[in-house]
Amino acid sequence: MMSDAPGGMSSVIGNGAEIVLLKNYDYGESSFRHHQPLSVAFTVGKEFSHGLSLESGLNYTLLRSDVRAMYASEETGQTLHFLGIPLRMKWQFLERGRFSLYIGAGGMAEKCVSAKFGSKSVSEPGVQWSLLAAAGAQYRLGGIVGLYFEPEGSYYLTETNLRTVRTDSPLTLTLRLGVRLTF
């Protein structure tokens, strides 16, 4: 049995053998257990004078949730894969040898490239926009390569059709560790 829910969105709940389509109000009333988001990024930056730099790159994020429909005994997995392009201005206010401290602010545009509810692929159109602010420390290994540690706060301005950790809590705090190439 297949039908479209109001607004053109079909929500699917399934345990492998049986698939039950829910209307939007049933999906919204389901209980959600969100997993910690996982992100991997490649970032490059261009340094300017007075400690200013502009950064961008490519960001991959995996959002996973376990969903239990009302009156259902089993949970169904929901998985969304996002690719994003961040853009951030950074100001390095302290530099001592190879060590530096900085603050930064910017935003990111992300597109869901794959979404699944149970075993069924679902459409997640549109772009998710976010604003971010960060403070961090970097240790330059030499040349253009540095290791960084960076607490970051993000606020997600747009919602996805599928309920995620970002729609339930649009303000997120992230701790980033990584390698940065600066030209």
Side-chain angles (χ1 to χ4, degrees):
M1 174 174 134
M2 292 195 148
S3 65
D4 284 334
M9 182 182 141
S10 294
S11 299
V12 181
I13 297 280
N15 62 8
E18 179 183 5
I19 294 177
V20 178
L21 291 167
L22 297 176
K23 303 218 180 291
N24 281 342
Y25 61 84
D26 290 330
Y27 177 80
E29 293 175 5
S30 298
S31 66
F32 289 77
R33 186 171 54 91
H34 302 298
H35 298 269
Q36 184 70 33
L38 173 67
S39 291
V40 177
F42 176 74
T43 305
V44 294
K46 172 67 177 154
E47 290 183 339
F48 301 106
S49 60
H50 307 292
L52 292 176
S53 63
L54 186 63
E55 293 183 344
S56 189
L58 185 63
N59 192 75
Y60 165 79
T61 301
L62 170 65
L63 299 180
R64 293 185 315 124
S65 302
D66 295 322
V67 183
R68 179 169 296 181
M70 283 192 331
Y71 313 113
S73 61
E74 294 185 24
E75 291 182 337
T76 300
Q78 174 179 279
T79 307
L80 288 85
H81 301 269
F82 285 88
L83 285 180
I85 298 177
L87 184 62
R88 178 170 70 170
M89 183 63 81
K90 187 175 84 170
W91 177 53
Q92 180 178 295
F93 61 87
L94 176 70
E95 185 171 13
R96 297 286 187 258
R98 294 179 175 217
F99 179 77
S100 62
L101 296 176
Y102 59 88
I103 57 174
M108 182 162 52
E110 290 181 283
K111 175 73 176 148
C112 181
V113 294
S114 174
K116 283 194 173 190
F117 197 91
S119 60
K120 176 141 172 82
S121 293
V122 292
S123 175
E124 185 59 59
V127 174
Q128 188 168 49
W129 296 91
S130 61
L131 298 175
L132 59 94
Q138 178 171 307
Y139 182 79
R140 212 173 261 234
L141 295 175
I144 64 171
V145 180
L147 298 176
Y148 70 93
F149 166 82
E150 183 177 280
E152 174 185 279
S154 299
Y155 186 80
Y156 292 88
L157 302 168
T158 52
E159 293 186 357
T160 55
N161 288 336
L162 295 173
R163 195 167 148 194
T164 68
V165 66
R166 294 174 175 176
T167 55
D168 286 352
S169 302
L171 179 62
T172 64
L173 299 175
T174 305
L175 180 58
R176 296 188 187 278
L177 304 169
V179 176
R180 177 176 290 128
L181 304 177
T182 306
F183 300 94

